């Protein structure tokens, strides 16, 4: 599955900027595999003196950003599983800002966060590798909007690219 296979009825327009960040010619599973190493390498190269940096009061640190990426991937993978199994319940969203404080991300090492990211991504890869074309095209409801399983995969990838780009621009 490639991003060019998606149509705009498979996801809420809110996610368009994430989908557009993905190369149209890369397969979903290949992109998930490549992203695992790219994102881990990126976060491992952030200088120690920037790990607790906030470019503005109330903004997340790079460690909190990575925790957010991990949390979001877990939630989106859960949605993908439910939708692939033809669950038609409208799954509620989550308040990302409420997830960060109790995560204690800033008390953790970057190494522990990267290891957790890699574990979550490995699980996501295993999940998506085993979805067939019918499952990938399955559409469920998330936060009141239709979302296909394959769109979830590409949105997950675009979401992490979005946050890497923000860190590059505002933190480094």
């Amino acid at each position: 599955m490639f991003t060019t296979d998606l149509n705009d009825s498979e996801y809420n327009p809110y996610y368009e900027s994430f989908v557009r960040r993905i190369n149209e010619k890369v397969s979903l599973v290949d992109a998930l595999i490549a992203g695992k190493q790219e994102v881990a390498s990126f976060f491992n190269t952030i200088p120690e003196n920037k790990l607790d940096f906030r470019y503005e009061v109330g903004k997340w640190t790079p460690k909190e950003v990575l925790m957010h990426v991990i949390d979001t991937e877990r939630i989106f993978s859960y949605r993908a599983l439910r939708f692939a199994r033809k669950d038609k319940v409208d799954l509620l969203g989550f308040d990302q800002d409420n997830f960060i404080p109790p995560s204690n991300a800033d008390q953790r090492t970057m190494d522990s966060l990267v290891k957790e990211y890699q574990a979550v991504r490995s699980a996501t890869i295993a999940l998506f590798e085993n979805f067939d074309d019918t499952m990938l095209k399955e559409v469920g409801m998330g936060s009141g909007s239709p979302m296909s399983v394959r769109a979830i995969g590409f949105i997950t990838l675009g979401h992490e690219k979005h946050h890497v780009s923000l860190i590059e621009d505002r933190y480094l």
Side-chain angles (χ1 to χ4, degrees):
M1 288 286 149
F2 305 94
T3 56
T4 52
D5 296 333
L6 290 176
N7 64 65
D8 58 7
S9 68
E10 292 183 65
Y11 55 91
N12 185 304
Y14 170 82
Y15 298 112
E16 181 67 24
S17 66
F18 297 151
V19 172
R20 290 205 181 278
R21 289 181 174 271
I22 307 306
N23 181 330
E24 295 175 351
K25 298 186 187 328
V26 67
S27 80
L28 177 54
V29 171
D30 288 347
L32 287 166
I33 292 168
K36 179 181 176 183
Q37 183 55 44
E38 290 167 9
V39 171
S41 293
F42 172 77
F43 278 94
N44 278 326
T45 62
I46 296 175
E48 188 74 29
N49 67 331
K50 294 289 187 174
L51 294 179
D52 296 315
F53 175 72
R54 297 174 196 277
Y55 69 90
E56 192 175 287
V57 174
K59 296 299 183 182
W60 296 334
T61 67
K63 291 194 283 188
E64 289 172 330
V65 169
L66 182 53
M67 188 77 257
H68 165 69
V69 167
I70 293 165
D71 287 347
T72 301
E73 185 159 333
R74 278 191 168 116
I75 290 166
F76 277 20
S77 290
Y78 174 71
R79 284 183 177 188
L81 174 64
R82 298 268 309 255
F83 298 166
R85 302 297 192 257
K86 301 182 183 288
D87 189 341
K88 297 304 178 191
V89 173
D90 187 355
L91 301 178
L92 298 176
F94 73 106
D95 186 335
Q96 63 187 15
D97 294 316
N98 289 337
F99 269 53
I100 293 302
S103 75
N104 294 321
D106 279 341
Q107 270 96 71
R108 295 179 56 186
T109 65
M110 183 56 79
D111 184 56
S112 78
L113 289 163
V114 168
K115 284 179 182 171
E116 183 175 353
Y117 165 80
Q118 291 173 315
V120 169
R121 177 52 57 90
S122 291
T124 301
I125 291 166
L127 183 67
F128 277 86
E129 280 177 330
N130 290 291
F131 288 150
D132 63 22
D133 284 346
T134 301
M135 292 175 192
L136 286 166
K137 292 176 184 172
E138 204 54 53
V139 175
M141 294 296 287
S143 302
S145 297
M147 182 178 271
S148 73
V149 172
R150 63 188 181 177
I152 290 171
F154 287 116
I155 291 165
T156 298
L157 288 163
H159 177 255
E160 73 184 9
K161 286 184 178 293
H162 163 77
H163 283 290
V164 164
S165 178
L166 285 176
I167 289 172
E168 289 172 333
D169 293 344
R170 298 181 184 173
Y171 294 78
L172 303 178

